[in-house]
Each structure stands twice: as C-alpha cells, then as structure tokens.
Amino acid sequence: MAEEKQLMVVSGETLHLSGSGHCPQAAETEDERDGCIGAAEEQAIKRGPNLLQMLKAAESRWAPHQGQGREGEEAGMAEVVTEALKTDMQIQLTEEKQEFNKRPIKAVPCSLARSISQSSIDSHSSVGSASSTDETSPRNKVQKTSKGVSDFCIKNIKQADFGRREICIAEQEMPALMVLRKKVGGEKPLAGAKVIGCTHITAQTAVLMETLLVLGAQCRWAACNIFSTQNAVAAALAEGGTAVFAWKGESEDDFWWCIDRCIGAEIWEPNVVLDDGGDLTHLLYKKYPTLFKNIRGIVEESVTGVYRLYQLSKAGNLCVPAMNVNDSVTKQKFDTLYCCKELILDGLKRTTDMMFGGKQVLVCGYGEVGKGCCAALKALGAIVYVTEVDPICALQACMDGFRVIQLSEVVQHVDVVITCTGNKHVVAREHLDRMKNGCIVCNMGHSNTEIDLASLRTEELRWEHVRPQVDHIVWPDGRRIVLLAEGRLLNLSCSTVPPFVLSITATTQALALIELYNAPEGRYKRDVYLLPKKMDEYVASLHLSGFEAHLTELTDEQTKYLGISKHGPFKPNYYRY
Amino acid sequence: MSETTVEVKLEVKQASKEVKESENVAEKYSVMTVSKNTEMNMEELSSAFSAVPTHKPVKKQIQFVEDKQEFSRFPTKAGRRSLSRSISQSSTDSYSSAASYTDSSDDETSPRDKTQVNSKGSSDFCVKNIKQAEFGRREIEIAEQDMSALIALRKRAQSEKPLAGAKIVGCTHITAQTAVLIETLVALGAQCRWTACNIYSTQNEVAAALSEIGVAVFAWKGESEDDFWWCIDRCVNTEGWQPNMILDDGGDLTHWMYKKYPNVFKKIRGIVEESVTGVHRLYQLSKAGKLCVPAMNVNDSVTKQKFDNLYCCRESILDGLKRTTDVMFGGKQVVVCGYGEVGKGCCAALKALGAIVYITEIDPICALQACMDGFRVVKLNEVIRHVDITITCTGNKNVVTRDQLDRMKNGSIVCNMGHSNTEIDVASLRTPELTWERVRSQVDHVIWPDGKRVILLAEGRLLNLSCSTVPTFVLSITATTQALALIELYNAPEGRYKQDVYLLPKKMDEYVASLHLATFDAHLTELSDEQAKYLGLNKNGPFKPNYYRY
C-alpha cells in the first residue's frame, strides 16, 4: 500500500512537470491572445467556422464600435459577460429516488447522482454487461498499466484492449469531437487544464476524455453512477494514462472513495471540474474547500446538479463560476424534441409491436417532449389528442392540428396514453378504470410519478408480467391494460439513446470547459451561466458535417446590413428557435 | 427617390435579455387568472392585474434595417412616412372588402374643411363621410364574429371596467378589426381618441361608424403628409382632455407628442407599442435616457410572434403562390433561404404538399434543426440551376443575386417572404438586355435574351403582404395582446414599471392564448392542487419560466 502511494506521488509529480511545460499563466496578456486569434483567423477562413474565430467574433460584436483600444476592449469584455445568460431558473426538481429504491444497496445520496438528462445516460452497449465473477473488490487489488503506472482503480486492467475497440467504435459515432480535435488540437486550448470529472464512464465519455487530452488537458475521472461504468472502457482509459476510479457495481462507500481518490488532493490541484449530478462538487465543498482557490470553473451537465448549483449560488456559497450546459439550445432540442420523436416509436414497437396507423393516441402535455411524440405519431397516421395546462402550448397544439381535450373526455376510447408532463398523477386510477381493453399506458415525461401506479396495487387487480418492461393489469371483468416499464421512463427503459445525442452533449461539455478555462479573468463571476450562444452555435456547426449540410456564409455586405459578425452569434439571446 | 430619410440603423451592443428572474419564487408565481372551462371570475381578473409581475426590461437587439424602399413608391409621402409602416404582419390591415366601397373619391373636399355632426350632435371627429356609419357598423359586426377573443374579454371584464378612467390616444390602422379593439376598450371603461398610422389603410366607413358612437376619430383614406400630422395633432390636442395612455403602431404618435406636448407625459401611465419600428424607437429613447414613461413592447410576445411568423407564413406562402401563379407543389423542387420562424413555416407547408425542399442557412443551430426536420441544407449555388421555386426569408440583403438569377432555369419562380424588398437583388434585373413583362398584377416575367423567363412575384416585395391577406385570427391575437397590455399598464401599481421598455408579462401572454382557445373548442386541463404543489406552480399560471423557448 505504501509503495503504491509513493508511486502515485511520483506519477503525480511527473504529470505536474509535463503539464507545466506548456502551461500559460492564468493571466494571459491581451496581446498574446489577440495574436493567437489573429493567426487562427487567417487559417480558418478557408475551413469554415473556427472556434477562436467565433470567440473573437462574439467579442467584437459586443464591443462598442467607437471605443478603440484598451478602454473599448475592456468595455467589450464587460459586455461579453452578460452574454452568457445568468439563468436564475427554476427547476422543478423532484425526488428521483423512487427509481432507485429498487436497488436496496444505494438508497438516498446516490439518487442524486442519477442525472435526469437523457443524454448523460449511457447507451446500453454490449460492454456494460461484463461478468463479475471476480469477487475481489478493485480497491484491494494492485494493478499496473503496461507503462507501470498504478494511479487508477478499476475492475481489470487486462480488459483494456477490449475497451479500446469500444472507444474506436464510439469515435465513429461522434464525428463532432473528432473534428474538434483536428480543428483545435494544434492550438491546445486546454493546455495546463487539470480536469477532474465525474460522469458516466462509457465509450462515449471516453471519447470526450481523450478529446480533452488531445486539447492539452490532464484528466482524473470517477463515475457518477454506480451501475453505468463500462469496465473495459475504464481499463482502456487507465491504460491510456488517465487516472480512472470506477467499476460497475460500486457500493455506496466505494462510490465516495472513488470520487475522493479522483480528486487526488494530495498529489495535484485540479483547476476545472466537469460534473454530472453534482456529487463531485458536493464532495469538494465538504472535504476540500481550499481547492476552490485554484478552480476556474465547474461545468455541470445534469438537471439535478444544476439545481444544486443554483441553490449554492442563491445562498451565496458558490465560490467559482459554473456553467450550466444542460440548458444549451442544441442540447435541449436533442434531449427532448428530436430524441423523443424517435424514441416514442421505438419504445412502443419494441415492447408491444403495435401498429400506429389509425390508432387513437392521447398525449398528455405539449412541451418539447410532447411536440416530438405528437409529430412522430401523426406522421405514422395516428389520430392524436393532446391535453395541456398551459394556454400558449395548448394554442400551439391547436395550430399544429391536434385536438386539445381533457383526459377524461376521451379516455374511454383511446388506444394509447402517453404522459409527458413532468407532473404527478396525470393518469389517475379513475382514468385507468375507464380505459378500454388493451389500452397501452406509458410515460415519456420524467421519473415514475406521472401515472398513479400505487393505486393499481390493489387486490382486485391482477398484474401479469408478460415480457421485460411489459405488464398486463387485469381487471376483475377481464379487461386488460398494458403498462410499459412500470410507469418509468419509456425512453430510458425500452429504448436506447442514440450516440448522436450523446455526441451533442459531450461536445457541449468540451466547449464549456474550453470557454471557462480560457475566459479572461472577470468575465465570469461566481454565478451559474448558460453556455454562450457562440459556443452553442459552434456545437451545432460541428455536427452539420454528419448531414453533409453546407452552411451558407454571409458576404461582408450582408454582415454589415444585418449588423452581426460573419461567424456569429447569429441570433439575439432571446431568440426562441 | 428621396433617400435622405432618417437613417434607421441600429447599432446593437445590448447583450442580452436578462433572464434572471426575481428572487422570490412566491412572488414570481403571482396570481394569473385563466379560468379554464368556466366563465372567469371577476375578482380573479382584478387580482391578476394587481399581481406583481416578474418580467424584466428586455434589452434586446433588433436587427432593424431600413424599410423605406417599400415606401419610395409613393412619391407624395417620402421621408417620415416610411417610419410609420409597421413591419409586423398583424398590424397590417387585412384587405377586406370595405376598403373598396369608399374608393370613389368624387367628393373632392378635404375632410378637414367639412363640418360634420354625428347623430348625437358631437362634431369632435374628422372622417370622410359620417353618413357611411351604418355601413361601417356592419363591417364591424362581421369582424366581431372573427374576433371572439375580444368579445370574450368584454364579457369577462365588462362589469369590472379595468380601464375606467383611462384616456387612450391611439394611432393604428383604422379597420374593422381595430374598431373591435377600440370598442372593447370603450366597453372596459376607457375613453378613446384615435388616428390612423398609415395614410392609405383607413376604412372610411369604419371611421364613420366609430365617430357615430362617440369615439373621436381623425382619419380618412388617402391623407396627405400634412393631413397625417394634422390628424395626430387634433387627436392629442383638445380642450379639457388629457390622455393618460398611448397605443401606438409605428411610433409616430409618440414621436409627435414628445416633440410638441412633452408636458402631457406627466400624466401618461404608459405607452403600448406594436410595431418593430416603434419598438426600436422606444429602445433608442430608453437608451438615451429620454424615455419618461414605461412602455410595453407587445410585438415580441410569444403568442403574437408565433402567429405573425410561423403560423401566418405557413399558410400565406401557399396562398400567395397559388393566387399569383397557380403552381402545383407536389414534386416541385423548392429552395427556402433561411430557417427561422418564417422559414420553418414555409418549409412545413411545402413539405406537406409533397414539394422537395432545400434550405440555405447561415446559423448552425437553425441549420441543424433543418437537418433534423428532414431538409437538405445546401448553398444556394449548388441547387439554383434546378429548383422550380426560390423563396427568401432571411431578413438579409441580396440573398439572391443577379448571378444566381442568371443561372436559374426557365420558368423558375422567385419570391420574398422575409422583409422589405432587399432580399432579391431586383435592381440588378433592371438592365437593358432583360425584358420585363407584366403578366398580371404582382407577377412579372423577366425575360433573358435567350428567351429564358424568371417569374418574379410582387417585384421582390413581401409576398405575404402583397399577394395574400392576413387572417383575422392573427389580427385578433394582436388586438387582444394590445388590450391586455393597456390593462396591465393602466392598473399596475405605482413603481411596478419604471421608465423602460417591457415585454408583456407571461401571465398576460398566456391569457391572450387562453382567450383564443375557445375558437378551437379546445379544453384546457386544470392542475389539481396536489399537482400544482408538486410542480411548484400557481394553478393559474404562469406555467413556464421566462427562458422557456416554446
């Protein structure tokens, strides 16, 4: 054990040394920055949008035109700050732990580690299911990579090759990050960054991590969920030199131990935090508050974590800037609208093999998720009804050609009921009682509160488990209702998240890290910010190549006419898309 | 062409709308009263208007660009007049039949020189011919059928009279639809004096009908520049009556009052402004620190924006193209330049009819949206050779250039849904080698020396305004929004609104939507107490945080 520790220290020091080689001072001079950007700009005109170019464009957009020189620049900076919207937003956070109660080992604190955001959930790839015949806890094993480093803790380093293959496959699916590596790999925008991360450890996040490495960062990583780690991928990462502390099926105690080891307070000082669920931030606050001196910012991905940050911020306890990537336009659209548009069909088909044409479907809620579901179902010829509480959304539903009704009006004759309200007990027992035989009930909204399940656990009703995720509930009169995923999220339980969506998330995280790390002193205060629009646009532009989409470029004349920069941001912040 | 008009170009430095909401969540979810399926309780309404709103002043950037080209066609009214044109769709009068009844202007006397008296003996108005009142009354009654939201508002709030004591000066298009708005304001307790914001749009018989019931209207179709300002002046400047609210469309009225009657502003509780132009002027005033009363920007309310752009254009693109060219859409290749709200509407409509749609876009986020919606994102040059229809909706300039027009195929249709007439470089087509042939109204064939024809619609001006009509339903949304903004400003407790430009509070926005749901026979679901608590919302809204994108 002692030996191991020593080794760790050594490796930590070497890491330090190699890091400081090209580590610029925190307070870079303006001139250097400008020079950099200028050079980058020249190159990039040929290659379409370039990150730094967009950065610069955004700055110049907000800089006052008359104020040249120093003063103008400063004013410009001051303006830029406001560009990243401060969202003192309200999140309807509700306890998610019901989802977890099913696993008795991890009860309360870990429920928080579950991120509600879709795209942070691992896609159910094949590696996840590696057998765990080896009963020794990874904590008690001493393992070494082929280079002799042992500053990691995973299930089995020997799986590294296997994991590497998984990562290679994931790279194919995440072209945006690969493009990012190519475009700014030379500039090393993260040189000197010491990132500690706590996310799901899957092939996709591995691509993100390795992208960060290519951009010049050093990383230490832990898992944000005790079940989601792909052991082989963790092994591959460890083999590649990243300090990973994670394995599938950690205990509660293991979980916090891993995070603690990941922070590695004795051997290095992190300066950027990438979190998913807020557990890492929480531990930092509790155990290592002094580390925050060096931390330039927190990038948080999940709704839960963002909520915690807002609470901290409101209490005045947030001592570094934080970036809320969950609410970026691109990510939001993909997590909800586009993702659910496809998953609703997939989930229903996989579980019930139903045919949609001519079916009467009731969708509760016409937010982004509801809009996606309705569009997909309508396209397949279903007759769609909508229930809604918000008049604006209701009017939108009307204009899109859906009947807005109350649930009780049609519940007797619909074939499918889909909830996506984020609310509680939208489908109550009285509705369930009146449904017709064979009616399918499922939830696309959140958690498992939308359908009042508790009310179905009564003696007169018989539950029949037909196949995974499908239950028949049989009424005394023989009438059956088909309940999917026991009222939990259909899109997570009965379908997989497309890698493309994960790619959007990972790219957004990478750019948020770059933005926070490179922001000049004072641009971000101790508050929670939204990803600046220019970055959001950049994420989108990186994904366009996948569609072979050709973006039009503004001419100088048009730029002037519109009063915007050639490289964005193209829309004001209040734009609704 | 008199180009020397006010150069209205906005330097945009304002960064962002402050989305930061009020700290106090309880305060935030102040009461909003949308009673869903029953008649609204009056106490609720009043509490809605006294609740503390949470919206902040919006420092928005407006990409405002000169619009005067549209107007330089009218040689009489050059300079200022351009400013009173409101770009917002729904502020434009719908081309209802009434406008043409009174076109016979054999009566050459200017209304200014005539003395007319309505049946009650009042002569405090100036319209073309008071005798047309009955005629106009019928027009208004027809409009009322289509504007059920305002009628519902009258019913719900009539006994309450939320505008009792309000003295409103208004400057909008005077059409049957605005008449319904004006009469609604009167029914809610306000006194109104009205003038036209456009010299051509007034429906004379509607103006007469309004005068007949005692609203002081100063407007007729075909005013001169001088008449225009005279009307505004008469509207504001009257013995023993000082306005306390302004409803403006285009900012001319506000401008005039600032210039001539700055003292009146001491009594003014607020300005409600409807058009992009007017809002832009207000932001300039506000930036210069000269805005001395609160102003409400109703142009950017969610409901109005969606209807002005997305829903309206979705229908008018088909209508406009059909009316002018009778083109069949199935299988046609269409390129739509720009995938903002207008572009999204156009694409959805065309796709639904079986057209093959291509998109050009500069903004990567919108481009990605187009991809995900199943449209090919291309550069114009890649497809220009083989598309049948080119539609611009970018808000930009010279999106379709001469070079591209040269390469279009024979019979290709070019039109503009974006704004103004800058998007297609029409000037470049006015060269000697090209022959222009006017085929029918709004349709020109431009013929190349080799015989190729390109069909240009509305000379590159807005297709939706020139070749299509604005549905009354959209006008109803606008009018309802205006009425609620007036009520909100008038009833706001001292200090709620400072001297700044505000967006309509979300609760009001939701209320506008809910008033229109009845038309669709839509039944809104009500939250149970338990659900409201679970969501941390008030049962009656607002239902969404301010940053919600819809």
Side-chain angles (χ1 to χ4, degrees):
Chain A
M1 199 65 187
E3 206 179 81
E4 188 191 337
K5 199 152 193 171
Q6 219 172 18
L7 252 171
M8 260 168 48
V9 172
V10 171
S11 70
E13 268 174 9
T14 52
L15 279 173
H16 255 292
L17 285 173
S18 67
S20 60
H22 43 101
C23 170
Q25 285 303 302
E28 264 176 322
T29 64
E30 287 290 301
D31 295 354
E32 268 172 20
R33 275 173 48 81
D34 283 356
C36 254
I37 291 161
E41 195 164 22
E42 274 169 42
Q43 284 182 7
I45 285 164
K46 299 157 214 152
R47 288 190 311 198
N50 173 296
L51 175 62
L52 290 175
Q53 209 169 7
M54 294 187 73
L55 270 167
K56 169 126 180 179
E59 279 168 27
S60 64
R61 182 178 186 190
W62 268 273
H65 288 252
Q66 68 276 34
Q68 299 289 347
R70 212 75 197 162
E71 210 180 284
E73 252 171 58
E74 271 169 29
M77 290 308 175
E79 292 284 350
V80 174
V81 175
T82 58
E83 203 221 353
L85 286 186
K86 287 201 294 177
T87 41
D88 204 358
M89 42 172 285
Q90 356 134 243
I91 297 171
Q92 276 96 43
L93 184 87
T94 43
E95 266 187 303
E96 280 293 310
K97 68 163 181 285
Q98 289 98 323
E99 292 270 293
F100 281 82
N101 283 345
K102 296 172 55 83
R103 297 153 186 161
I105 348 163
K106 297 252 311 170
V108 182
C110 209
S111 71
L112 289 167
R114 185 193 167 251
S115 105
I116 300 169
S117 150
Q118 294 239 359
S119 48
S120 79
I121 310 288
D122 50 333
S123 73
H124 306 283
S125 116
S126 52
V127 227
S129 55
S131 60
S132 51
T133 42
D134 180 6
E135 281 306 308
T136 340
S137 162
R139 283 167 74 167
N140 304 325
K141 285 199 283 192
V142 184
Q143 301 180 75
K144 275 185 193 174
T145 67
S146 57
K147 288 177 200 117
V149 183
S150 62
D151 180 20
F152 62 88
C153 184
I154 55 161
K155 189 82 179 176
N156 186 357
I157 187 73
K158 291 188 190 110
Q159 296 176 324
D161 281 342
F162 190 28
R164 177 55 49 195
R165 269 213 304 283
E166 282 293 326
I167 296 176
C168 286
I169 295 171
E171 281 175 0
Q172 304 301 314
E173 294 163 339
M174 308 182 82
L177 281 178
M178 306 309 284
V179 174
L180 184 68
R181 282 189 203 178
K182 256 191 227 140
K183 279 197 174 168
V184 289
E187 284 159 24
K188 300 244 178 264
L190 287 178
K194 294 179 181 167
V195 185
I196 42 174
C198 175
T199 65
H200 297 279
I201 294 187
T202 62
Q204 283 83 12
T205 41
V207 178
L208 167 63
M209 247 178 270
E210 296 191 341
T211 305
L212 299 180
L213 295 179
V214 171
L215 303 188
Q218 299 168 41
C219 300
R220 293 174 71 87
W221 229 263
C224 72
N225 185 300
I226 53 175
F227 289 111
S228 68
T229 306
Q230 294 179 342
N231 284 334
V233 169
L237 285 170
E239 178 64 38
T242 310
V244 177
F245 303 87
W247 57 93
K248 191 182 169 101
E250 297 168 9
S251 71
E252 171 85 33
D253 184 52
D254 290 340
F255 178 75
W256 294 109
W257 179 85
C258 282
I259 294 184
D260 198 339
R261 284 288 307 274
C262 168
I263 294 169
E266 321 88 68
I267 50 168
W268 79 323
E269 288 189 334
N271 51 23
V272 202
V273 178
L274 179 66
D275 205 353
D276 182 347
D279 288 322
L280 173 57
T281 312
H282 178 73
L283 189 70
L284 275 173
Y285 260 95
K286 255 180 64 184
K287 230 178 139 181
Y288 305 105
T290 51
L291 284 179
F292 278 104
K293 269 186 311 209
N294 286 317
I295 289 182
R296 295 210 198 165
I298 300 169
V299 173
E300 172 59 58
E301 206 258 301
S302 73
V303 179
T304 327
V306 167
Y307 176 73
R308 287 169 147 193
L309 286 172
Y310 280 116
Q311 282 191 322
L312 273 180
S313 159
K314 215 176 255 178
N317 291 333
L318 188 67
C319 52
V320 291
M323 186 88 64
N324 164 4
V325 296
N326 182 57
D327 290 304
S328 87
V329 181
T330 318
K331 182 166 178 306
Q332 275 289 320
K333 288 275 175 195
F334 272 90
D335 271 3
T336 53
L337 184 65
Y338 299 130
C339 207
C340 293
K341 194 150 91 179
E342 315 211 343
L343 296 185
I344 180 67
L345 301 183
D346 185 27
L348 284 172
K349 280 276 186 210
R350 280 194 205 194
T351 47
T352 65
D353 288 320
M354 73 174 292
M355 196 142 187
F356 295 100
K359 284 275 189 312
Q360 298 198 49
V361 184
L362 177 71
V363 177
C364 303
Y366 200 68
E368 292 278 12
V369 175
K371 287 185 179 91
C373 292
C374 288
L377 292 166
K378 191 184 189 182
L380 289 189
I383 300 156
V384 183
Y385 301 98
V386 172
T387 72
E388 181 50 85
V389 296
D390 179 342
I392 298 182
C393 292
L395 195 57
Q396 288 183 305
C398 290
M399 291 305 292
D400 292 339
F402 299 109
R403 289 276 299 128
V404 178
I405 40 87
Q406 291 187 344
L407 181 56
S408 52
E409 293 172 38
V410 291
V411 78
Q412 300 101 311
H413 38 85
V414 292
D415 302 295
V416 186
V417 177
I418 302 164
T419 58
C420 25
T421 62
N423 202 342
K424 171 178 177 182
H425 296 182
V426 177
V427 178
R429 174 65 192 268
E430 46 160 342
H431 300 125
L432 290 160
D433 279 340
R434 289 165 57 207
M435 284 176 187
K436 72 178 186 192
N437 187 28
C439 184
I440 297 169
V441 184
C442 65
N443 171 23
M444 290 282 291
H446 85 140
S447 185
N448 61 352
T449 56
E450 308 214 6
I451 302 164
D452 188 3
L453 286 172
S455 74
L456 287 178
R457 304 266 182 207
T458 52
E459 284 184 7
E460 77 273 24
L461 303 184
R462 196 155 45 85
W463 285 58
E464 256 173 40
H465 195 69
V466 180
R467 65 187 93 136
Q469 313 289 1
V470 184
D471 288 289
H472 281 190
I473 299 161
V474 188
W475 261 252
D477 60 0
R479 202 165 45 90
R480 283 163 189 262
I481 282 179
V482 183
L483 177 68
L484 302 185
E486 293 178 57
R488 277 173 286 113
L489 286 175
L490 181 72
N491 39 345
L492 298 185
S493 313
C494 311
S495 176
T496 55
V497 178
F500 193 77
V501 174
L502 298 172
S503 166
I504 296 263
T505 307
T507 316
T508 311
Q509 286 172 321
L511 286 178
L513 279 175
I514 296 175
E515 169 70 17
L516 269 184
Y517 187 70
N518 288 292
E521 195 89 87
R523 177 184 296 177
Y524 296 106
K525 313 269 180 308
R526 294 167 182 186
D527 209 334
V528 186
Y529 293 85
L530 272 190
L531 192 68
K533 190 166 288 286
K534 59 185 157 78
M535 289 303 195
D536 217 343
E537 289 176 355
Y538 195 61
V539 172
S541 76
L542 284 173
H543 284 89
L544 280 176
S545 59
F547 296 101
E548 254 187 76
H550 304 164
L551 217 52
T552 306
E553 226 176 309
L554 289 174
T555 65
D556 291 331
E557 187 201 5
Q558 290 174 332
T559 326
K560 215 177 124 213
Y561 182 77
L562 293 177
I564 59 176
S565 153
K566 223 172 170 167
H567 305 287
F570 298 100
K571 299 288 190 305
N573 273 327
Y574 67 89
Y575 188 75
R576 292 194 186 94
Y577 291 97
Chain B
M1 284 175 96
S2 48
E3 303 295 7
T4 52
T5 45
V6 196
E7 180 76 22
V8 221
K9 197 122 199 184
L10 181 55
E11 302 270 342
V12 194
K13 275 156 254 148
Q14 295 293 9
S16 66
K17 172 165 109 168
E18 276 255 17
V19 190
K20 190 150 182 172
E21 285 164 38
S22 104
E23 298 289 290
N24 185 341
V25 179
E27 182 184 271
K28 169 172 186 355
Y29 284 116
S30 58
V31 204
M32 183 244 180
T33 48
V34 192
S35 175
K36 264 122 216 162
N37 28 21
T38 50
E39 277 300 292
M40 175 166 234
N41 178 338
M42 266 5 304
E43 277 162 40
E44 279 176 13
L45 183 61
S46 64
S47 57
F49 299 139
S50 56
V52 186
T54 52
H55 60 286
K56 296 273 176 179
V58 209
K59 304 255 171 63
K60 40 169 283 185
Q61 345 144 247
I62 303 174
Q63 269 99 43
F64 185 73
V65 278
E66 267 186 298
D67 239 70
K68 66 164 181 284
Q69 291 96 323
E70 290 272 290
F71 280 84
S72 44
R73 293 168 49 84
F74 308 126
T76 16
K77 299 252 310 169
R80 292 242 175 62
R81 209 71 296 286
S82 70
L83 290 169
S84 71
R85 184 194 169 250
S86 105
I87 299 169
S88 149
Q89 294 236 359
S90 48
S91 79
T92 314
D93 51 332
S94 77
Y95 303 98
S96 113
S97 54
S100 53
Y101 291 147
T102 52
D103 251 340
S104 57
S105 47
D106 34 33
D107 180 8
E108 280 304 311
T109 341
S110 160
R112 282 167 72 170
D113 306 326
K114 285 199 283 190
T115 314
Q116 300 181 77
V117 180
N118 71 10
S119 61
K120 287 173 201 120
S122 163
S123 61
D124 182 21
F125 61 88
C126 186
V127 299
K128 187 82 174 179
N129 186 357
I130 186 74
K131 292 190 190 108
Q132 295 173 324
E134 238 177 275
F135 204 16
R137 175 56 45 198
R138 268 213 307 279
E139 281 293 327
I140 296 175
E141 276 163 12
I142 294 170
E144 280 176 1
Q145 303 299 315
D146 294 331
M147 305 186 78
S148 49
L150 280 178
I151 307 299
L153 181 66
R154 276 190 213 175
K155 264 199 217 130
R156 288 183 184 184
Q158 198 150 27
S159 56
E160 168 101 353
K161 300 240 181 269
L163 287 176
K167 294 175 178 175
I168 304 171
V169 278
C171 175
T172 64
H173 298 278
I174 295 188
T175 61
Q177 285 82 17
T178 38
V180 179
L181 169 63
I182 295 169
E183 294 189 349
T184 304
L185 299 178
V186 172
L188 301 185
Q191 296 171 39
C192 298
R193 295 175 70 85
W194 228 260
T195 178
C197 73
N198 184 299
I199 54 173
Y200 291 109
S201 68
T202 306
Q203 293 180 344
N204 284 334
E205 65 285 350
V206 169
L210 286 170
S211 305
E212 178 61 36
I213 62 153
V215 178
V217 176
F218 302 86
W220 57 93
K221 191 181 171 104
E223 298 167 9
S224 71
E225 170 87 30
D226 184 51
D227 290 340
F228 178 77
W229 295 111
W230 178 85
C231 282
I232 291 187
D233 193 63
R234 279 291 308 274
C235 185
V236 181
N237 182 20
T238 175
E239 282 289 305
W241 197 86
Q242 273 213 329
N244 51 24
M245 300 288 299
I246 300 174
L247 178 65
D248 206 351
D249 182 346
D252 286 325
L253 175 60
T254 312
H255 175 76
W256 185 258
M257 288 179 66
Y258 257 96
K259 255 180 61 185
K260 288 207 63 173
Y261 307 104
N263 284 333
V264 175
F265 278 98
K266 268 184 278 179
K267 289 228 165 146
I268 299 266
R269 297 216 197 163
I271 303 170
V272 173
E273 172 59 57
E274 204 259 299
S275 73
V276 178
T277 328
V279 166
H280 168 68
R281 287 168 143 194
L282 287 173
Y283 280 117
Q284 283 191 323
L285 273 180
S286 158
K287 213 181 263 176
K290 285 184 192 149
L291 188 68
C292 52
V293 292
M296 188 82 76
N297 164 6
V298 295
N299 183 59
D300 290 307
S301 86
V302 181
T303 318
K304 184 168 178 306
Q305 277 288 323
K306 287 275 175 198
F307 272 89
D308 272 3
N309 301 311
L310 185 65
Y311 300 130
C312 202
C313 293
R314 194 166 71 183
E315 312 210 344
S316 57
I317 180 66
L318 301 181
D319 184 27
L321 283 170
K322 280 277 185 210
R323 279 193 206 196
T324 48
T325 65
D326 289 322
V327 63
M328 191 138 189
F329 295 101
K332 283 277 187 310
Q333 298 199 47
V334 184
V335 62
V336 177
C337 303
Y339 200 68
E341 291 277 12
V342 175
K344 287 183 179 93
C346 292
C347 290
L350 292 165
K351 191 183 189 185
L353 289 189
I356 300 156
V357 184
Y358 301 99
I359 307 283
T360 73
E361 180 51 80
I362 56 161
D363 179 341
I365 298 182
C366 292
L368 196 57
Q369 288 183 306
C371 291
M372 291 304 294
D373 292 341
F375 300 108
R376 291 273 299 126
V377 178
V378 295
K379 290 188 179 180
L380 190 54
N381 283 332
E382 298 168 21
V383 293
I384 195 73
R385 251 179 254 276
H386 41 86
V387 293
D388 304 291
I389 305 173
T390 307
I391 301 165
T392 59
C393 24
T394 61
N396 202 343
K397 173 179 177 181
N398 294 350
V399 176
V400 179
T401 60
R402 172 64 192 268
D403 179 45
Q404 283 145 351
L405 288 161
D406 280 342
R407 290 159 57 205
M408 282 177 186
K409 73 177 183 192
N410 186 29
S412 184
I413 299 170
V414 186
C415 65
N416 172 23
M417 290 284 290
H419 84 140
S420 184
N421 60 351
T422 55
E423 309 213 6
I424 303 164
D425 191 1
V426 176
S428 74
L429 290 175
R430 305 262 184 207
T431 52
E433 80 272 23
L434 302 184
T435 321
W436 283 58
E437 225 173 65
R438 160 89 8 149
V439 181
R440 64 189 90 137
S441 140
Q442 310 291 0
V443 184
D444 288 289
H445 281 191
V446 183
I447 307 171
W448 265 252
D450 62 357
K452 180 186 88 168
R453 283 162 190 258
V454 166
I455 302 163
L456 179 65
L457 302 185
E459 294 176 60
R461 278 173 287 114
L462 286 174
L463 182 72
N464 39 346
L465 296 186
S466 313
C467 313
S468 172
T469 55
V470 178
T472 315
F473 192 73
V474 175
L475 298 173
S476 168
I477 296 264
T478 307
T480 315
T481 312
Q482 285 172 321
L484 285 175
L486 282 172
I487 295 175
E488 168 71 19
L489 271 182
Y490 186 70
N491 288 290
E494 193 92 311
R496 179 187 296 177
Y497 296 105
K498 312 271 179 308
Q499 300 170 354
D500 210 334
V501 186
Y502 293 84
L503 271 189
L504 193 67
K506 191 166 283 288
K507 64 184 157 87
M508 289 302 190
D509 215 344
E510 289 176 354
Y511 192 62
V512 172
S514 76
L515 282 173
H516 285 89
L517 282 176
T519 335
F520 297 104
D521 193 20
H523 305 166
L524 217 52
T525 305
E526 224 175 319
L527 290 175
S528 70
D529 291 329
E530 186 200 5
Q531 289 174 332
K533 205 176 137 216
Y534 181 77
L535 294 176
L537 288 176
N538 183 299
K539 227 172 156 171
N540 299 310
F543 297 102
K544 300 289 189 306
N546 276 331
Y547 66 90
Y548 188 74
R549 292 192 187 95
Y550 290 97

